[in-house]
Amino acid sequence: MQSKYYKQYLTEILSSTIKPIHVFFVGIIGQCAIPIHNPTFNKIYAEFFVKFYNGKHLTDNIAIQSCTLGILAQLDYAYLINDHSCISILRSIFINASSKVAKENHKNNFLLPILKIFNSLCIKSKTIACYLNSDQLVDTLLQYVTNQTDLRLNTNACVLLGHIVSDKQLDHLRISYKLTMKFVSLLDDYKEETNDILQSYLSLAIHTQIQSVIVDTYQLTDLIELSDDHPIIYDIIWKLSFHSNIVEQLIMRHDNFLKKLSLLPEMPAACGILQNVQLKNVPRLPIKDRLFSDIAVVSSRND
């Protein structure tokens, strides 16, 4: 794949009209080959993808879809994360293909890899999560969240929804309670997906509406039980602890957890939670280092 002849072939295609037969050839090679992680080829593949799919070839042809996944397989996430044109077209492809799959009522292995790409990008960058957000995509994801036909699509759609949904959309769609309880269910039922689910939960926990549901349904206990095996729980609870009623529950119901946090002075999330407890004017536990509370809103170190 890295030969100068193949590179020349791709370059020549880009200078002409890209036809489906070109997608078949390039896509099949992309599926069969190990990703080459070459910046030059990443750029060429991205340009090839954008030029072919630029609003004109949103096809439901299964062969084309399969070859498209082959092209995407050759794109590094580190490159894709900065190519908003490519991401925008991929979002349009997903929405378009979803409407056709819904009408045909059959499983489509084309959608799941795209969802996984989106989720991986959102974990790496909160900026991508904001960029992906659109009412149309949120509506599409909700169809999969409420549809139990394909549990893989159901789970990954819920995870992506957690990454991208906004306060305004939570209010307008009135889905805060159902979405929170869906995450509770996913954590119970899909142990192998726990890390990905919690990464999304971390994004979701910033919303006041979600925090209120967690307060009303006493979900802190279940989250704390996961903290030994999943350190990201501390970051989630840090975000939640900006809600005064969450802090109240920590004080009244989870004294042992607070004592445990006092033994973790090197963990920013632990110190942040304790600081929020102190801000309630309850002289519980000492905090050695003051932290700026707005650090907790950051979901990714890459942003």
Side-chain angles (χ1 to χ4, degrees):
M1 279 187 65
Q2 298 190 59
S3 71
K4 64 178 182 180
Y5 301 107
Y6 184 61
K7 179 181 177 182
Q8 181 180 351
Y9 170 75
L10 291 175
T11 304
E12 289 176 356
I13 292 177
L14 284 173
S15 64
S16 61
T17 301
I18 300 177
K19 299 178 180 179
I21 189 64
H22 298 139
V23 178
F24 285 134
F25 179 70
V26 175
I28 289 173
I29 290 178
Q31 284 182 322
C32 297
I34 298 173
I36 55 180
H37 304 298
N38 180 293
T40 301
F41 274 92
N42 268 280
K43 185 174 185 296
I44 292 174
Y45 267 92
E47 290 177 357
F48 184 93
F49 177 81
V50 170
K51 185 172 182 179
F52 180 74
Y53 272 113
N54 192 16
K56 297 178 292 188
H57 294 280
L58 300 178
T59 175
D60 57 352
N61 183 295
I62 294 177
I64 288 285
Q65 292 175 349
S66 178
C67 291
T68 299
L69 294 179
I71 295 171
L72 292 172
Q74 291 299 324
L75 287 172
D76 281 346
Y77 289 164
Y79 179 89
L80 189 58
I81 207 168
N82 295 310
D83 193 329
H84 288 185
S85 296
C86 203
I87 293 172
S88 179
I89 289 176
L90 191 56
R91 178 180 58 190
S92 297
I93 290 173
F94 179 82
I95 293 171
N96 179 273
S98 293
S99 63
K100 293 180 179 179
V101 169
K103 292 177 182 178
E104 295 168 5
N105 194 30
H106 66 79
K107 291 183 180 181
N108 193 303
N109 291 327
F110 182 55
L111 298 175
L112 185 60
I114 296 177
L115 275 176
K116 289 184 175 181
I117 289 173
F118 286 157
N119 282 325
S120 295
L121 293 176
C122 287
I123 290 173
K124 293 178 181 296
S125 172
K126 185 63 177 176
T127 301
I128 294 298
C130 295
Y131 182 77
L132 277 173
N133 180 282
S134 73
D135 289 341
Q136 193 174 9
L137 180 57
V138 168
D139 288 342
T140 301
L141 293 174
L142 279 174
Q143 294 176 20
Y144 292 117
V145 172
T146 56
N147 185 350
Q148 301 291 331
T149 303
D150 191 320
L151 294 179
R152 297 173 304 164
L153 286 175
N154 177 277
T155 301
N156 280 274
C158 188
V159 169
L160 182 57
L161 189 60
H163 281 302
I164 72 171
V165 72
S166 67
D167 283 330
K168 182 179 179 181
Q169 289 162 336
L170 286 171
D171 282 337
H172 176 69
L173 297 169
R174 298 181 180 181
I175 57 173
S176 297
Y177 177 81
K178 289 184 178 180
L179 187 57
T180 303
M181 300 315 293
K182 179 65 177 178
F183 270 84
V184 172
S185 176
L186 290 178
L187 288 171
D188 286 338
D189 297 337
Y190 297 96
K191 303 299 183 183
E192 69 281 1
E193 304 287 344
T194 297
N195 288 332
D196 289 341
I197 295 168
L198 289 177
Q199 286 284 354
S200 179
Y201 210 149
L202 179 63
S203 298
L204 195 63
I206 195 65
H207 301 293
T208 304
Q209 304 96 314
I210 301 299
Q211 294 171 359
S212 296
V213 174
I214 291 173
V215 169
D216 294 340
T217 55
Y218 298 96
Q219 295 301 322
L220 270 180
T221 299
D222 292 336
L223 288 173
I224 289 171
E225 288 178 356
L226 293 171
S227 62
D228 287 337
D229 296 325
H230 303 282
I232 193 176
I233 289 293
Y234 295 102
D235 295 293
I236 292 173
I237 295 177
W238 185 9
K239 286 189 175 184
L240 295 175
S241 69
F242 287 90
H243 193 292
S244 60
N245 291 340
I246 291 282
V247 174
E248 194 68 32
Q249 285 192 6
L250 284 170
I251 293 169
M252 301 301 295
R253 293 170 170 266
H254 302 289
D255 190 63
N256 287 338
F257 180 67
L258 293 179
K259 290 178 180 177
K260 178 182 176 180
L261 294 179
S262 68
L263 302 176
L264 302 171
E266 303 302 320
M267 180 184 289
C271 296
I273 296 167
L274 292 177
Q275 184 182 47
N276 287 341
V277 169
Q278 280 196 340
L279 290 175
K280 288 283 289 184
N281 295 318
V282 179
R284 284 269 166 166
L285 299 164
I287 299 176
K288 295 183 179 180
D289 300 309
R290 293 188 61 82
L291 297 173
F292 292 103
S293 59
D294 60 353
I295 295 176
V297 304
V298 179
S299 295
S300 170
R301 294 179 181 177
N302 295 332
D303 288 322

